[in-house]
């Protein structure tokens, strides 16, 4: 664990707690993964929220001083139309996905098994990227749970597919530190009367109640990742960062412009998940998003001409290309 200004991390926390007028007991021995949260305190112990991420650990300094931080608010009026962006490609080797649904205490995460290997390519990506995690972020209220915003609008949730560059790096940890290391696909989620087929498998009552508390896990199989994506969609891409410590600026973000749906019952079930183990007081997992960061002078590119929406094609460029599936029809 790094040191800031010559102070050990416990000393930094004590000073921050005093600054905030905190009177709760401060535990001096926190594991590194417990040194940050989306809210400023957990169980009466001061744990740094987003404003302090970059101050308590020198290795997380980009959270405070980085210039390419995420998430951002996207104004489609600033998106540059790039007609040469190819469609996104998904490869699963023709197999169904399996893995572990996990309550991390911060997110609902789906961690795919080592096989089959799931890769994404195309779009702005110069290399093939391997899926490492599916992460679900959501809010306590509808319309306020996504990390990114689109035209000043938030969504009830955001699904993030986190991939690492398997052509240049051996694992996620190495890729997160290097150029062209990570690719994150983000899909927005609304509350509606129906549910996306893939999310329906993850969020049905029999499944979601198995991960009610922190560290709960449940194995799933026979998942078709192709069903997560809309039938037709455009995307917006920009260069940014991880939205949690250490906030490395090595991420190519790809935002899908057509939102998914889940039902109000499924959203309610998500909000009943606890960020704590059963022995501790209930605190909802909801509200697990980082505040918006300045876009500054970064370019936003898209495969859709938002200035002339009537020109949008419904052909194969706007569909997910899946290895082993039938080629999409042209329009």
């Amino acid at each position: 664990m790094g040191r800031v200004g010559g102070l050990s991390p416990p000393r930094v926390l004590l000073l921050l707690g005093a600054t905030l007028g905190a009177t709760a007991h401060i535990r001096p021995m926190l594991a590194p993964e417990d040194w940050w949260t989306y809210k400023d305190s957990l169980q009466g112990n001061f744990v740094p929220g987003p404003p302090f991420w970059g101050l308590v650990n020198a290795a997380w300094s980009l959270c405070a001083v980085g210039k390419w931080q995420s998430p951002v608010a996207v104004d489609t009026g600033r998106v540059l139309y790039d007609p040469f962006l190819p469609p996104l490609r998904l490869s699963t080797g023709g197999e169904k996905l399996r893995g572990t649904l996990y309550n991390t205490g911060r997110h609902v995460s789906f961690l795919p098994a080592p096989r089959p290997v799931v890769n994404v390519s195309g779009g702005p990506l110069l290399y093939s990227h391997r899926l490492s995690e599916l992460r679900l972020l959501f809010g306590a209220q509808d319309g306020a749970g996504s990390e990114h915003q689109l035209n000043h609008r938030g969504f009830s949730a955001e699904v993030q597919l986190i991939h690492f560059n398997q052509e240049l790096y051996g694992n996620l940890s190495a890729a997160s530190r290097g150029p062209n290391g990570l690719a994150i696909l983000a899909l927005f989620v609304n509350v509606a009367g129906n549910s996306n087929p893939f999310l329906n498998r993850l969020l049905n009552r029999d499944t979601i109640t198995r991960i009610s508390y922190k560290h709960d896990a449940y194995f799933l199989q026979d998942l078709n990742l192709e069903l997560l994506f809309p039938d037709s969609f455009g995307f917006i891409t920009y260069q940014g960062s991880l939205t949690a410590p250490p906030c490395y600026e090595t991420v190519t973000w790809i935002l899908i412009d057509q939102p998914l749906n889940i039902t109000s019952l499924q959203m309610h079930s998500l909000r009943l998940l606890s960020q704590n183990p059963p022995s501790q007081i209930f605190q909802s997992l909801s509200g697990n998003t980082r505040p918006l960061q300045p876009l500054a002078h970064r370019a936003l590119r898209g495969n859709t001409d938002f200035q002339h929406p009537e020109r949008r094609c419904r052909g194969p460029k706007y569909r997910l290309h899946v290895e082993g599936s039938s080629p999409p029809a042209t329009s």
Side-chain angles (χ1 to χ4, degrees), residues 27 42-43 213-214 274-283:
R27 287 185 301 184
L42 289 172
Q43 290 300 106
Y213 299 99
K214 183 179 181 179
S274 178
Q275 60 180 286
N276 294 324
S279 60
Q280 297 179 5
I281 190 172
F282 171 84
Q283 289 183 294

Side-chain angles (χ1 to χ4, degrees), residues 146-317:
S146 61
E147 289 202 302
H148 290 83
Q149 288 185 4
L150 190 60
N151 290 332
H152 309 290
R153 175 191 177 191
F155 297 82
S156 299
E158 182 173 322
V159 176
Q160 295 178 357
L161 297 169
I162 302 171
H163 307 74
F164 72 90
N165 186 333
Q166 63 176 357
E167 296 187 51
L168 297 184
Y169 305 98
N171 54 54
L172 177 69
S173 178
S176 67
R177 297 177 174 86
N180 294 305
L182 302 178
I184 303 181
L185 273 63
L187 298 102
F188 300 118
V189 181
N190 284 325
V191 173
N194 57 355
S195 182
N196 172 269
F198 183 90
L199 294 179
N200 192 52
R201 281 289 312 279
L202 267 60
L203 304 180
N204 69 66
R205 181 176 176 79
D206 182 59
T207 301
I208 202 67
T209 53
R210 308 293 184 102
I211 60 164
S212 296
Y213 299 99
K214 183 179 181 179
H215 299 318
D216 284 352
Y218 184 61
F219 186 76
L220 290 170
Q221 54 188 349
D222 295 325
L223 297 170
N224 187 350
L225 188 59
E226 179 182 356
L227 297 178
L228 178 64
F229 291 83
D231 291 336
S232 178
F233 60 87
F235 60 79
I236 299 159
T237 182
Y238 77 98
Q239 296 302 123
S241 74
L242 295 169
T243 58
C247 305
Y248 291 139
E249 296 179 332
T250 57
V251 181
T252 298
W253 280 92
I254 302 172
L255 313 179
I256 306 300
D257 68 0
Q258 298 299 308
L260 312 175
N261 290 336
I262 61 172
T263 67
S264 59
L265 180 60
Q266 290 169 336
M267 179 56 75
H268 180 68
S269 297
L270 283 172
R271 291 168 181 156
L272 290 178
L273 300 179
S274 178
Q275 60 180 286
N276 294 324
S279 60
Q280 297 179 5
I281 190 172
F282 171 84
Q283 289 183 294
S284 175
L285 204 60
S286 60
N288 53 354
T289 56
R290 186 188 189 190
L292 292 168
Q293 304 297 304
L295 179 63
H297 301 292
R298 280 177 285 176
L300 298 168
R301 290 190 297 151
N303 68 341
T304 298
D305 187 352
F306 289 100
Q307 306 304 316
H308 301 90
E310 72 281 358
R311 297 179 184 175
R312 179 172 177 176
C313 178
R314 297 288 177 178
K317 181 177 178 180

